[in-house]
Amino acid sequence: MTEDVVIPASELTERFSRSSGPGGQGVNTTDSRVELSFDVAASAALPQWLRDRALQRLAGRLVGGVLTITASEHRNQLANRAAARERLAVVLRDAVAAPARSRRPTRPSRAAKERRITDKKRRAQTKRLRRGDLD
């Protein structure tokens, strides 16, 4: 998942079912659709602080603490298994990423304020000249 955290295959659960879409006659007989489940709440691979962050950020996607990823875009099971694992890694990497640093408020400098006022006056003068009013 990340450089520091690796999820062992024993913590992943895969279910296979028939996929919709192209595949001809074989689509009715092969179980190419993959549902990959990972129990975030009970995982021993994640440290407690990462687990808490993941549970909080993935709250809308979890059902009983379990994250489920479905892949059925490929016609064979092996490719769908790889796609599901890749998607799981991306979702978890985003969930446990460090929060973005908050913006430190700053104020414009005096020179910036003066440039802004000068530009506004120049623009107003241009518009005044277009109207034909000479004040």
Side-chain angles (χ1 to χ4, degrees):
M1 186 189 71
T2 67
E3 296 81 26
D4 301 353
V5 180
V6 176
I7 297 173
S10 61
E11 291 196 14
L12 300 176
T13 308
E14 291 177 323
R15 281 185 41 208
F16 306 103
S17 60
R18 293 190 181 120
S19 178
S20 62
Q25 295 170 341
V27 76
N28 298 324
T29 59
T30 57
D31 292 340
S32 59
R33 180 173 175 260
V34 177
E35 281 186 21
L36 182 65
S37 298
F38 173 60
D39 192 350
V40 179
S43 174
L46 295 175
Q48 184 63 42
W49 62 276
L50 274 182
R51 192 176 320 127
D52 292 342
R53 185 184 288 174
L55 287 170
Q56 179 186 4
R57 290 190 181 166
L58 295 172
R61 292 189 66 165
L62 298 178
V63 177
V66 178
L67 175 65
T68 302
I69 304 288
T70 305
S72 61
E73 60 265 18
H74 300 288
R75 285 176 59 169
N76 63 355
Q77 188 184 96
L78 200 60
N80 282 329
R81 288 176 75 182
R85 286 174 185 249
E86 183 61 36
R87 211 174 302 150
L88 176 73
V90 169
V91 168
L92 286 176
R93 198 174 295 124
D94 291 345
V96 299
R101 293 179 61 183
S102 58
R103 182 186 171 276
R104 183 177 172 196
T106 57
R107 289 188 171 157
S109 64
R110 179 181 293 164
K113 288 180 188 175
E114 289 173 1
R115 279 194 305 271
R116 187 178 128 265
I117 298 299
T118 305
D119 289 344
K120 282 180 77 164
K121 288 183 178 177
R122 187 179 303 121
R123 187 81 181 131
Q125 171 124 10
T126 304
K127 289 186 172 190
R128 207 176 313 118
L129 290 173
R130 284 186 193 152
R131 281 199 325 240
D133 297 344
L134 298 175
D135 291 329

